[in-house]
């Protein structure tokens, strides 16, 4: 049962914590692979994102992905540098950049306390840690 609950949680969590594409970024994302470790003892996740993309303009040297500031990027692969600010990760690509139609990839490593908030009507959104049933079984759920 724990494995089943964990699998469902990971599937739903991917929608909560996924990076999103900024339209001004100059890329067309072709593939994401998200790998997330969820702490069962406390509100904390650690993971990585592998991203394949194609440039939509020439001389692309930098891309921008959205990511909550509650999750801190610790390192990258396939990038020469990165800056995280204003809920975005600005990534400088290695080399001289790429041109329109060329593909590339990056891998980003991150960790932190996953976001959750109280929405309209007091309904919680995000990654929710709770207890359930007479045995206080732990429940981790993604609520979107």
């Amino acid at each position: 049962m724990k494995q089943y609950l964990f699998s469902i949680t990971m599937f739903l969590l991917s929608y909560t914590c996924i990076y999103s594409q900024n339209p001004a970024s100059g890329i067309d994302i072709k593939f994401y692979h998200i790998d997330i470790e969820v702490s069962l003892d406390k509100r904390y996740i650690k993971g990585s994102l592998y991203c394949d993309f194609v440039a939509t303009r020439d001389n692309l040297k930098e891309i921008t992905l959205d990511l909550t500031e509650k999750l801190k990027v610790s390192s990258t692969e396939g990038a020469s540098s990165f800056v995280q600010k204003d809920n975005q990760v600005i990534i400088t690509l290695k080399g001289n950049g790429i041109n329109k139609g060329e593909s590339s990839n990056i891998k980003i490593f991150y960790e932190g306390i996953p976001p959750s908030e109280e929405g309209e009507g007091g309904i919680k959104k995000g990654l929710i840690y709770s207890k359930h049933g007479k045995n206080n079984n732990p429940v981790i759920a993604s609520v979107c």
Side-chain angles (χ1 to χ4, degrees), residues 80-124:
S80 62
S81 65
F82 70 91
V83 175
Q84 186 174 3
K85 66 178 184 178
D86 300 327
N87 292 314
Q88 294 183 321
V89 181
I90 302 159
I91 301 161
T92 304
L93 301 175
K94 285 185 175 180
N96 295 324
I98 60 175
N99 289 315
K100 185 174 182 176
E102 293 180 340
S103 61
S104 188
N105 59 67
I106 55 169
K107 190 168 186 178
I108 300 168
F109 299 88
Y110 60 92
E111 60 186 283
I113 299 171
S116 67
E117 61 185 49
E118 195 166 306
E120 291 181 30
I123 297 172
K124 291 184 179 182

Side-chain angles (χ1 to χ4, degrees), residues 1-18:
M1 180 65 175
K2 279 186 179 181
Q3 186 66 27
Y4 179 74
L5 176 62
F6 186 73
S7 297
I8 289 173
T9 301
M10 291 301 86
F11 174 76
L12 295 173
L13 180 61
S14 67
Y15 287 101
T16 301
C17 299
I18 194 166

Side-chain angles (χ1 to χ4, degrees), residues 19 33 35 47-51 53 73 75-79 91 105-109:
Y19 290 72
H33 177 85
D35 185 15
S48 65
L49 167 87
Y50 174 84
C51 176
F53 59 91
V73 175
S75 65
T76 62
E77 292 176 3
I91 301 161
N105 59 67
I106 55 169
K107 190 168 186 178
I108 300 168
F109 299 88

Side-chain angles (χ1 to χ4, degrees), residues 129-140:
Y129 281 70
S130 185
K131 303 280 184 184
H132 180 74
K134 65 181 180 182
N135 295 328
N136 282 329
N137 295 319
V139 176
I140 304 172

Side-chain angles (χ1 to χ4, degrees), residues 39-60:
S39 171
L40 300 177
D41 302 325
K42 61 180 181 172
R43 289 182 48 79
Y44 197 82
I45 63 172
K46 183 176 184 178
S48 65
L49 167 87
Y50 174 84
C51 176
D52 279 329
F53 59 91
V54 174
T56 59
R57 65 175 190 249
D58 285 332
N59 199 26
L60 182 69

